[in-house]
Each structure stands twice: as C-alpha cells, then as structure tokens.
Amino acid sequence: MNSQSKASLLHVQGLVQGVGFRPFVYRIAIKNNLNGWVENNNEGVLIHIEGLEGDIESFRKMLIQNAPQASSIASVNETESKLEGFKAFEIRHSSNHSEAITEVSPDIAVCPDCLADMQIQQHRIDYPFINCTNCGPRFTIIKDLPYDRHQTTMQAFVMCDECRKEYSDILDRRFHAQPVACLKCGPAYEIHTKDGKTVRVNNPAPQLAKWIDEGSIVALKGLGGYHLVCDALNESAVQTLRKRKSREGKPMAIMMASVESIHKRFLLSETEAQTIQSWKRPIVLLQNLQPCAPSVSNGMHTAGVIMPYMPIHYQLFEFLETEAIVLTSGNISDEPVTISDEDALKNLGKVADYIVSYNREIYNRADDSVVFVADGKERILRRSRGYVPSPIKLNLETEGIFAVGAELVNTFAIGKGKQAILSQHIGDLKNAETLAFYEESFQRFSRLFRFEPSLIACDLHPDYLSTQFARSLGFETIEIQHHHAHIASCMAEHGLDEKVIGIALDGTGLGNDGTIWGGEFFVCDLIDFERAYYFDPVPLPGGDKVTHEPWRTAVSYLHKYFGKDIFLKKLPFLNGIDTKHLEVVFQAIDLKINCPLSSGAGRLFDAVAAITGICTESDFHAEAPMRLEAAAAKNCRGKYVFDIEEKRIVFWKLFYLILKDLKMGVSVSEISAKFHNTMALLVLTVAKKIRNTTGLNKIILSGGTFQNRYLLEKSIFVLRDSGFEVYAHQKVPSNDGGIALGQMAIAAKRRSMKKDS
Ligand code: ZN
Ligand code: ZN
Ligand code: FE
C-alpha cells in the first residue's frame, strides 16, 4: 500500500446484474492497479477499490465508458472509504439465491468485439456461434440455475483447450461466458436439402444468400425459434411465402443490415434509430417511405424492421444482393414458433424450399419482440426475446403470486420478492399447441426461479383457458376484471399506487355486469374501480363473428341509432353483402339471439373501418383498426361530435356525420383522421369531467386500442396540454400481453390490505 493510496466505495445502480458486470469491473480494476472487491447487492453492484488517486480516476472513466453493452448504469454513488490494505482484487460471490436469479439474463445481440474477433481469432474465423460475456444466447438456452454451462443446451459441447483457457481466465472477455465455443468445439449449422441430405457447414451464408437472391424460401433456425426468410424486394417470393404459410394478411417483419439502408426506405427518428440498434434488437414498427415488395406490408403504412443480431445475420448480408429480407416467424398460422429440428423438417418443409438448422437445442422459445416509438418513447407491443426474463420492479410484495394473464397474446407473470417476472409472449390460448406451450413455460419458470404459488390471479372470464388453468391448480384464486387489470398494469410499470383516472380503450373483456366492456373510463386504484363513463353498448350480431366481419358491427350501430329504415338507402359498404345475410343480422338483433352487448372501443373502430369501406371483412386480429389508422390523413384537424348521456358516451351524431361525409364524397383518409381526432377529444372531454368531480389529475392510458400510434400520441398531447399527468405503457404491452402484470399488482395490493387489517 502506497502512502498516497485512497479507498472508495462505489454503489452502481441500474441494469448491472447478470450482464457480465462483475468480471468487467474486475478487469478494469486490474488494468488500473487497484485492489479491493466487487459484489452484487440488492440494489446493484458494490465496489470497494484501493489505489492511487489517478488510477481511481481512470477506473471511474472506464466504468462508465466501457460498460458491457447489455448493462445500463442508472447511477454511481461514490463515498470515501477506509483503507483496508487489500492485496488483490476479487469478485465476491454471495450465496443468496436471489442473486442467482439475476443471472438469467435475456439473450443479447452479438457484440462488436465478437464481430471483430470473427476476422482475427484463428479458431473463430467466420464462426457463426461466437459469443462472450457481453453477448450471445442466455434465456433461450438455460434449463436450470445456477447459470452454468452444464445447465444449458451447451452441455452437449465439450470445450476445447483454447476455449477452456479463455473461459477460465478472468482477464479474458469470455471468462465464464457459458456458451463459449469455437470452430473446433462448438455448434455448427446444418443444411437440409430437398432430397433429404444433411450437410454440415461452418458458414452457410454464401449458400443461403444465393437461395434467397434466387427467390427461394428458407427456414432458418434462429435464437428463440425458426424464421422463414425470403427476399423482401421480390414480390413473387413474398407472395409464395404468404400462400404457403397461410398467413392471411398479417404484415411481415423485414431485416435490413444498417441504419443507412433503413433510412432510405423508412422514416426513422433518433429514438427509433437507437431502439432498432439496441442490444435487445426488437422489431421496430417504422413508417414506409419507399416500401418493399407490396405483399410485405400488405397495405399498411408501416413495416416491422429489425437489424441483424446473430452472427449468421451479419454473414448473410455480406453475400446478399438484396438489401432487405423477410424474417417472419417459422410456424404454421397461429401455432407457436417452431423450435425443434424435427418439427421444422416435418412442418416447415412444406413452406420452405430449404431448411438451415444447427445442432444446439433451443430450450426456451422466444419470438422476436416488437416495439414502436410514440411520443419519443419506446413502447412494447410483444415482449419476448431480449426483454424476457428481465423482472419488472413493483413497490409491492409479490412473492408467491401467479398471474395467469388473459387469453389473446397471452403472457403470465410470477411474483418474486417485489418483482414480477413476465413470461415470454405465449400467443393466443385457443389451440392445444399454444396451451401446451403455456403450461410448459409455467413449469419451467417455476423451476428456474424456484417459484411456489400461493395465490393465483386470473381474469373474470370463466371461459378463458388461462382462468381454467388457474382454477385447476387448487390455490386461492382472485378474479380480476379485465380492464382494471389493464389500468393496473400501466400503473405498476410506473410505480403508481393511488387513485387515478384510468382510461381503457380495448377490444374485448368481460365486465362486472356480464356484458362485454372495452370503452372504459374508471376512477380506480390498485384495489378497486368505479366505472365512471363508458361507450354506449351495442349488440354484436353473431358474437365472436364480428371480429372477422366488422360490417356486422357497423350494421348494428346504424340499426341502433337510425333504425332499419337507414338500410333502405344505398350504403356502399354493404354492396358485397348478401341481403339474406343482412336479414339474419336484423333478426338476431331484434330477437336478441347471439347478440352480446359490447362497449368495446375496438368495435367502434371496426364499425368505422367497415362503413368507410376500408375493411368490411377482416383476415387477422385487429386488421380493421390497423387499416383505419393507416388510412388517416396527416395534418387534418377536423372532428366529429358525440354526446354524453349520464354515464354513456353516445355516438349517433358521429355516425350521422360520417355517413354525411361519405355521401358528400369526403375522402376516407379525411374521415379516418376526423374520427381519430374525435376519439382524442372524447378522451380529453371525459377526463376533464372526471377531474372536475374528483380532483384527480393523473391519467392512465391502457388497452389494445392504444397500440394505435395516432390515437395514443394525439391523446397524450391534448391531455398534457390541459395539464394532466399522463401515463402510457412502455415496458409491457398495452394489449392483453400486459394483463398479467396488472393482475399481479392488484392481487399483491389486495393481499397486503388483508394482511394489514
Ligand atoms: Zn461478444
Ligand atoms: Zn473451442
Ligand atoms: Fe384487453
């Protein structure tokens, strides 16, 4: 110890656990001749360093500037400490199990250092499974804790001497990188040709690129599941893929190699550029400037764009002539994405001309995550690879709570300490394969995170398979109203636990009165809610049929507000509809047969999309509102009107004026914009009414309808303009993929109240 030595204690907070942070701290401490220790604590990482002032200074700089890409330092709190005369620097391991849990990090996009190593490290030249402590597969390969190689699907590969040396050298970037591998000892790609041959290749990129450029469709094994890939600029290839996959009309995601190339085809804000390059590598919804092949976006104004995140993606673009490829999930219609090679050969063989797999197992399925940017912030639409299983912190004790989620785009959540750990995107729980995936994932999360349920939170809807699963477990169950859960989910991610104005604009959810809700204005907290205002309910002739046939809902609204006579006039949107069909719908409404009442905002959007002729029949979930949004003219400030009768928000004037506009020949893009503007005005008007009577000023926006960027931004702007504090989703989806978090928060709050009393 030098007489000028000093000691410092640094408390680093943020995302610093399970991302290779302690070995990183170790390396920079050694580089700067510092002694002491580093350890994880409950709220981040603690570092004690001793050495010369100048060396400490340089350590501080490196700590910030060279931190691992998947880490994110929120704050560094430094205090002077007592010199203890340490002779070395060490990583202290605690035996605390909650620490082991933080080691299960999400998968991380390949880092620039590894990409560089592919050119220079002899044992990894062009090696597509290169990784280090800062990057590579994590969640998708882990089977159990502690996070060690033998508990991952890398178990099958025995490290060669060279890899072992790097793995054991604390000064090496691959120190304790569990998936460490090289050409000699690691996984390899396998090409399956149509004639049943399997060829092992070190770098399949040249062959893959050739096939794609030729217009073929390739099934390529990814990190969390198979992808189907083709040239995104080749219309006939995209059409063939659509046909073979029977992927109705859903837009498909594309991959492009660089921000520069994306700039040429899409509007890209600074936040969008950052998001698309983040180590999480989500699909980002961007607005088309110069669209790819028409069948990619299929008439939408946006496309999902993603940048390379596996080494093979980078290698592929070195050989490709096309600058954009379709990268859509490798599954058959609504089934979970394929992860096993056997299933790929059996099922994807019908869709793809070639199958390219590799010989490491995918253990945990994870789709690509999807986000969009609104009001300058990243907002999640599908939370999976790159995000899961990062916990979401709550201000409530959650231990033992299992929130089963809803039915569509399901995710579930388990409670650990004061955290909710959300599952990856599971999908629509209506086919056997998805349900099996759900149950398997619950078993795996329970084991991985040593979770034992004691309280189950589920939706009020008795028919949801998730609700039935909850009941089958035999624990105390709390049923939570769907839209209350939506609002609570947004409150939970913002750490709110107080009375608020909750606005849930949504498709479907069972209400307390047995009707379908979804245009809801609540005064609520995490315990309970009061339904202050709601959209005027309409009958849905045919029940579930309306989601595929929005014209039915349109007919129902017109019938409700103007009676049957309105149909004596010529309504162009009904041109393609059989009059017999229409008669059946009238009868259903009159006799109240299979006509559940719904106040769902999604249904109102459906109806407007149908009446304007934008979408009378829908091929996939939420197609009508998506097309309606896509049609909306920018810079149109016009609006329609609505009435508020006691608690009901009534739309007869809205429909009257839309019909009038249609008759006058006003463009549908203008009508759509006026409709959206009206919805934002409605949100503001009702919010003000509630503020006037309650004094509440915090507004929560949730529900699937707020995936609509036009509506979300407009609502946020007008509310903020009137002095409201507005909260919208960022970390979890505003669609039903976020429901589990809300169920968790409400169950946790109610349980804490019970304990207190
Ligand atoms: Zn790396
Ligand atoms: Zn090796
Ligand atoms: Fe919902």
Side-chain angles (χ1 to χ4, degrees):
M1 200 169 21
N2 191 296
S3 62
Q4 280 138 38
S5 281
K6 293 191 142 195
S8 248
L9 186 71
L10 288 86
H11 188 194
V12 188
Q13 287 187 290
L15 182 61
V16 288
Q17 297 187 348
V19 288
F21 205 80
R22 284 173 305 167
F24 156 71
V25 169
Y26 180 94
R27 286 197 293 276
I28 60 171
I30 300 294
K31 260 187 201 147
N32 291 296
N33 312 307
L34 301 172
N35 293 337
W37 48 260
V38 56
E39 69 178 23
N40 280 348
N41 78 349
N42 282 341
E43 271 147 278
V45 166
L46 268 183
I47 309 166
H48 176 96
I49 36 172
E50 300 186 354
L52 295 176
E53 176 86 59
D55 290 333
I56 294 182
E57 176 64 37
S58 147
F59 173 90
R60 261 187 227 120
K61 259 194 208 139
M62 286 186 182
L63 185 73
I64 303 294
Q65 287 170 1
N66 305 345
Q69 64 163 352
S71 68
S72 144
I73 298 176
S75 65
V76 181
N77 201 326
E78 185 169 351
T79 48
E80 209 169 305
S81 190
K82 224 178 82 194
L83 267 176
E84 296 188 38
F86 287 103
K87 296 276 180 298
F89 194 89
E90 61 168 16
I91 296 178
R92 288 186 174 172
H93 292 273
S94 84
S95 50
N96 187 343
H97 186 78
S98 71
E99 184 188 324
I101 284 174
T102 64
E103 299 292 322
V104 194
S105 99
D107 300 85
I108 305 167
V110 59
C111 75
D113 292 335
C114 282
L115 289 173
D117 283 349
M118 286 171 86
Q119 319 282 324
I120 47 175
Q121 280 194 332
Q122 272 317 310
H123 57 313
R124 298 202 182 89
I125 297 287
D126 289 338
Y127 181 56
F129 294 92
I130 194 166
N131 66 86
C132 70
T133 34
N134 301 334
C135 76
R138 295 286 188 278
F139 172 68
T140 51
I141 60 166
I142 191 167
K143 290 178 161 178
D144 204 352
L145 284 177
Y147 175 53
D148 252 326
R149 186 170 175 114
H150 73 277
Q151 314 244 46
T152 71
T153 59
M154 280 300 291
Q155 183 198 16
F157 303 91
V158 180
M159 263 185 244
C160 70
D161 290 346
E162 213 157 346
C163 285
R164 161 108 15 225
K165 214 175 113 213
E166 296 165 297
Y167 180 85
S168 314
D169 177 3
I170 193 154
L171 290 177
D172 195 282
R173 209 174 76 247
R174 296 192 171 84
F175 173 68
H176 281 194
Q178 304 305 344
V180 70
C182 74
L183 280 165
K184 214 196 295 174
C185 67
Y189 277 98
E190 289 163 346
I191 292 178
H192 304 271
T193 54
K194 278 192 165 159
D195 44 15
K197 273 191 228 144
T198 300
V199 190
R200 189 183 154 131
V201 276
N202 284 336
N203 178 7
Q207 180 66 70
L208 257 171
K210 194 168 154 271
W211 283 330
I212 294 168
D213 281 328
E214 276 170 9
S216 295
I217 294 160
V218 185
L220 174 64
K221 187 170 179 178
L223 264 188
Y226 273 83
H227 283 119
L228 288 161
V229 184
C230 74
D231 181 356
L233 304 182
N234 181 338
E235 174 64 10
S236 100
V238 182
Q239 271 186 19
T240 308
L241 173 55
R242 258 190 199 289
K243 219 182 296 148
R244 291 196 201 156
K245 203 189 160 189
S246 53
R247 192 188 160 88
E248 307 129 345
K250 266 183 217 169
M252 297 196 270
I254 62 163
M255 180 175 269
M256 293 183 79
S258 68
V259 171
E260 292 68 42
S261 57
I262 295 170
H263 251 303
K264 279 187 245 153
R265 289 189 174 271
F266 299 92
L267 273 178
L268 191 69
S269 71
E270 217 169 287
T271 315
E272 284 165 338
Q274 271 169 21
T275 306
I276 209 164
Q277 293 175 85
S278 110
W279 61 269
K280 299 179 178 110
R281 284 298 199 282
I283 293 170
V284 184
L285 295 188
L286 298 175
Q287 290 190 48
N288 288 323
L289 284 177
Q290 190 201 334
C292 296
S295 289
V296 172
S297 287
N298 210 8
M300 300 295 169
H301 66 312
T302 56
V305 188
I306 188 168
M307 282 181 61
Y309 57 90
M310 290 174 82
I312 187 70
H313 301 148
Y314 286 93
Q315 292 173 299
L316 189 51
F317 277 101
E318 278 173 34
F319 293 96
L320 277 172
E321 301 221 342
T322 181
E323 58 170 7
I325 54 174
V326 165
L327 195 83
T328 188
S329 47
N331 56 355
I332 307 294
S333 45
D334 280 339
E335 287 178 16
V337 58
T338 305
I339 57 171
S340 92
D341 302 334
E342 201 184 310
D343 287 353
L345 289 174
K346 205 168 63 196
N347 300 328
L348 298 181
K350 295 170 206 149
V351 183
D353 301 304
Y354 305 96
I355 295 177
V356 179
S357 66
Y358 57 80
N359 59 349
R360 181 179 65 206
E361 189 195 340
I362 298 172
Y363 190 71
N364 296 307
R365 180 184 280 114
D367 293 82
D368 291 322
S369 295
V370 184
V371 308
F372 73 119
V373 173
D375 186 35
K377 295 194 176 86
E378 177 186 322
R379 301 177 192 274
I380 289 218
L381 294 172
R382 181 166 79 195
R383 191 173 181 274
S384 213
R385 180 190 47 75
Y387 295 81
V388 172
S390 291
I392 291 169
K393 289 204 170 81
L394 301 184
N395 294 327
L396 294 158
E397 186 63 53
T398 61
E399 191 71 38
I401 301 176
F402 170 35
V404 300
E407 175 138 279
L408 295 176
V409 293
N410 177 284
T411 63
F412 62 80
I414 58 172
K416 286 301 285 183
K418 289 187 160 187
Q419 300 175 326
I421 302 175
L422 265 72
S423 75
Q424 69 272 51
H425 162 80
I426 304 279
D428 297 351
L429 293 185
K430 53 184 186 195
N431 61 45
E433 290 81 3
T434 319
L435 187 65
F437 173 32
Y438 178 91
E439 295 187 5
E440 177 191 81
S441 299
F442 173 61
Q443 298 308 334
R444 288 185 176 181
F445 268 68
S446 298
R447 185 173 132 145
L448 192 54
F449 297 104
R450 309 300 196 261
F451 173 75
E452 292 194 15
S454 52
L455 179 64
I456 322 278
C458 66
D459 198 277
L460 197 59
H461 205 306
D463 298 342
Y464 283 180
L465 292 180
S466 57
T467 307
Q468 290 172 11
F469 183 63
R471 294 208 175 127
S472 74
L473 294 172
F475 294 95
E476 186 192 343
T477 305
I478 303 184
E479 289 160 358
I480 291 158
Q481 200 279 323
H482 188 91
H483 304 101
H484 189 205
H486 267 307
I487 300 297
S489 136
C490 188
M491 290 173 72
E493 53 162 289
H494 292 287
L496 295 173
D497 180 5
E498 60 190 271
K499 233 182 193 122
V500 295
I501 302 173
I503 304 180
L505 300 188
D506 199 32
T508 312
L510 184 62
N512 285 356
D513 60 1
T515 69
I516 302 168
W517 291 5
E520 308 303 316
F521 296 77
F522 290 167
V523 172
C524 65
D525 53 25
L526 291 179
I527 304 164
D528 216 344
F529 68 92
E530 177 209 328
R531 196 183 191 200
Y533 295 89
Y534 52 90
F535 282 16
D536 194 16
V538 286
L540 301 180
D544 284 346
K545 271 196 189 144
V546 297
T547 53
H548 294 292
E549 298 176 32
W551 67 267
R552 287 171 177 267
T553 314
V555 166
S556 181
Y557 269 109
L558 297 184
H559 185 275
K560 178 184 170 88
Y561 289 135
F562 310 107
K564 219 166 155 180
D565 285 354
I566 185 124
F567 298 98
L568 298 174
K569 293 183 204 160
K570 214 171 147 304
L571 297 168
F573 82 98
L574 291 174
N575 279 350
I577 312 292
D578 199 329
T579 33
K580 269 191 231 146
H581 236 118
L582 208 54
E583 270 313 315
V584 174
V585 166
F586 291 145
Q587 263 180 25
I589 295 172
D590 290 338
L591 301 171
K592 299 195 169 88
I593 298 166
N594 195 15
C595 267
L597 283 177
S598 165
S599 65
R603 297 294 85 79
L604 179 68
F605 279 71
D606 279 356
V608 174
I611 288 177
T612 48
I614 288 170
C615 186
T616 50
E617 307 208 2
S618 141
D619 274 340
F620 58 91
H621 183 69
E623 179 179 359
M626 281 168 75
R627 292 204 183 278
L628 186 64
E629 181 192 356
K634 306 281 166 290
N635 306 320
C636 161
R637 296 169 150 264
K639 288 183 202 76
Y640 298 115
V641 284
F642 52 88
D643 291 300
I644 300 177
E645 295 173 4
E646 293 189 31
K647 291 178 157 197
R648 277 181 313 131
I649 302 153
V650 178
F651 298 111
W652 76 267
K653 284 179 188 156
L654 173 88
F655 282 101
Y656 176 82
L657 291 170
I658 289 177
L659 287 177
K660 198 170 146 196
D661 271 355
L662 280 169
K663 210 168 146 199
M664 305 281 289
V666 176
S667 74
V668 290
S669 73
E670 197 172 320
I671 294 175
S672 169
K674 284 166 82 174
F675 169 70
H676 278 87
N677 297 343
T678 313
M679 288 299 108
L681 175 70
L682 187 157
V683 163
L684 176 67
T685 309
V686 180
K688 278 183 176 165
K689 273 173 114 40
I690 299 177
R691 178 165 66 183
N692 286 344
T693 53
T694 62
L696 296 171
N697 198 46
K698 287 188 179 160
I699 298 228
I700 313 293
L701 304 178
S702 188
T705 304
F706 281 113
Q707 293 173 93
N708 180 320
R709 180 171 161 176
Y710 189 114
L711 176 72
L712 178 63
E713 287 190 331
K714 201 116 208 169
S715 302
I716 292 175
F717 295 157
V718 295
L719 287 166
R720 228 182 250 151
D721 226 33
S722 292
F724 286 102
E725 261 180 75
V726 191
Y727 298 87
H729 284 279
Q730 291 169 38
K731 296 180 199 155
V732 302
S734 71
N735 61 40
D736 287 4
I739 285 277
L741 180 65
Q743 292 173 339
M744 170 80 57
I746 292 170
K749 181 66 183 177
R750 287 192 189 160
R751 184 174 68 178
S752 75
M753 300 295 293
K754 225 159 114 188
K755 277 186 186 152
D756 291 349
S757 66

